[in-house]
Amino acid sequence: MSTENKKEIVLSGIRSTGNLHLGNYYGALSKFVKMQDDYDCLFFIADLHALTTNPDPEALHANVKSILAEYLAAGLDPDKATIFVQSDIPEISEMYLLLNMHVGIGELMRTASFKDKARKALGLSGSTDDNDAAFEHQIIGAETNKRVNAGLLTYPTLMAVDILIQKANKVPVGKDQLQHLELTRRFARRFNSFYGVDLFPEPESFDFGGKPVKVPGLDGSGKMGKSEGNCIYLIDDEKVLRKKVMRAVTDQGPTEPNSPVSEPIANLFALLELTSTPEVVQQFRDAYADCSIRYGDLKKQLAEDILKVTTPIRERVNDILADDEYLRKVLASGAEKARERAAKTLAEVRQIMGIRKF
């Protein structure tokens, strides 16, 4: 028997709601590439999660393909990691139903993300800090033709199943998903306790070590995000990318030496630090400190350095998208590996819950 320690299982997925951007790359993808040799990695495209927004079917299908190509172009290796599409694993959907039998409506309704998205869906005002009774009155008692779909409510259950069905040990998540991961841990404990088993490990948040990377948007505040419209996408061509960077929000510039840096300019420096050499960053910081900085020059340099990162990825994306046979091969192999694990876990869950053949 081998004494070699098994690698820890790491799982992460991204919703198929649009192309990947610079924030996805520096916040996650570039780190995933480095993890492939040290962990047993599973990376998936969450097309079932994307259904909560009722996307156009053709757009959903196209997005799955584009994100897969971007995964591969960024350096994810199907020979090192398991790469798959969520809906290719039917065991996930069945376990989603089974786990929901141990999940309370109240605990789902109290999640901050559900409150926020439910109000947006209904066009209601209010804060996620409102008390639960007031929130329930807004959601259930709202006189509106709009609705909040049940998939949005049970989103944390599906996320928990993604993790638990693969028995993942670590899950890279952003701050906005930490509450969902804590629910996953709770559901795992609850199932194990209810049936007196030790089936599911309690997954931990994986932060890659070191300081978290925050990739700011081009609008002067906040982080880069699809819904904010402040993104540089990995597939942006040179002309589009340069135009976006040159339009980035700035201020009137420093009027006194060693002036404090405003948020919009701090964001540009943050992007520069991600993509440029330390010498270039220092050059522009010195220029800001002595009031000689020209924002046009800063933006031109930033665009050049971002292009050095994204151009090779964009070119690979285009090559990969043109090779349907390769994409099908990658997904078939990934689905086979992911289904093998998922089927084993689901069989255990069915047996434990009493769903057995005579």
Side-chain angles (χ1 to χ4, degrees), residues 51-67:
L51 294 175
T52 59
T53 57
N54 301 123
D56 174 77
E58 294 304 317
L60 175 66
H61 181 70
N63 284 340
V64 170
K65 183 178 181 181
S66 64
I67 289 178

Side-chain angles (χ1 to χ4, degrees), residues 14-20 44-48 50-51 55-72 83-88 321 327 331:
I14 189 166
R15 293 172 67 222
S16 50
T17 55
N19 295 108
L20 303 181
F44 68 98
I45 301 165
D47 56 340
L48 296 180
L51 294 175
D56 174 77
E58 294 304 317
L60 175 66
H61 181 70
N63 284 340
V64 170
K65 183 178 181 181
S66 64
I67 289 178
L68 172 61
E70 289 163 7
Y71 265 176
L72 298 169
I83 303 169
F84 63 98
V85 175
Q86 189 182 27
S87 62
D88 282 344
L321 283 174
L327 291 173
L331 287 187

Side-chain angles (χ1 to χ4, degrees), residues 167-334:
K167 297 186 178 178
N169 306 108
K170 296 184 181 295
V171 184
V173 292
K175 186 177 179 181
D176 57 337
Q177 293 290 320
L178 283 174
Q179 188 178 26
H180 288 173
L181 182 60
E182 188 52 46
L183 283 175
T184 299
R185 292 168 54 83
R186 183 192 301 175
F187 299 160
R189 286 195 301 271
R190 182 178 298 161
F191 187 94
N192 288 345
S193 175
F194 186 89
Y195 292 106
V197 296
D198 187 24
L199 180 65
F200 296 125
E202 291 186 33
E204 298 177 352
S205 172
F206 190 84
D207 61 7
F208 305 109
K211 186 178 178 181
V213 175
K214 179 184 178 183
V215 182
L218 300 174
D219 56 355
S221 64
K223 69 175 184 177
M224 190 170 287
K226 298 173 189 176
S227 59
E228 286 77 15
N230 61 6
C231 293
I232 295 173
Y233 291 103
L234 298 181
I235 62 164
D236 282 341
D237 64 31
E238 182 176 343
K239 183 178 179 181
V240 169
L241 191 148
R242 289 185 190 278
K243 192 172 183 180
K244 284 183 176 181
V245 174
M246 295 308 292
R247 286 182 173 177
V249 174
T250 56
D251 58 20
Q252 294 180 340
T255 56
E256 296 181 3
N258 301 310
S259 298
V261 180
S262 66
E263 186 175 8
I265 306 308
N267 286 349
L268 292 182
F269 276 126
L271 289 170
L272 203 65
E273 286 175 348
L274 287 171
T275 58
S276 306
T277 64
E279 292 77 16
V280 167
V281 176
Q282 193 60 49
Q283 171 194 333
F284 283 103
R285 287 201 178 278
D286 291 343
Y288 187 92
D290 66 17
C291 301
S292 66
I293 192 166
R294 294 165 59 94
Y295 289 150
D297 293 340
L298 170 61
K299 290 179 178 180
K300 288 176 183 176
Q301 181 69 53
L302 179 58
E304 288 294 334
D305 292 334
I306 292 174
L307 282 167
K308 290 177 184 176
V309 176
T310 62
T311 298
I313 295 175
R314 175 170 52 81
E315 291 173 348
R316 287 196 295 269
V317 166
N318 292 333
D319 290 340
I320 292 168
L321 283 174
D323 193 345
D324 284 341
E325 184 178 350
Y326 173 64
L327 291 173
R328 281 193 290 268
K329 181 179 177 182
V330 168
L331 287 187
S333 174

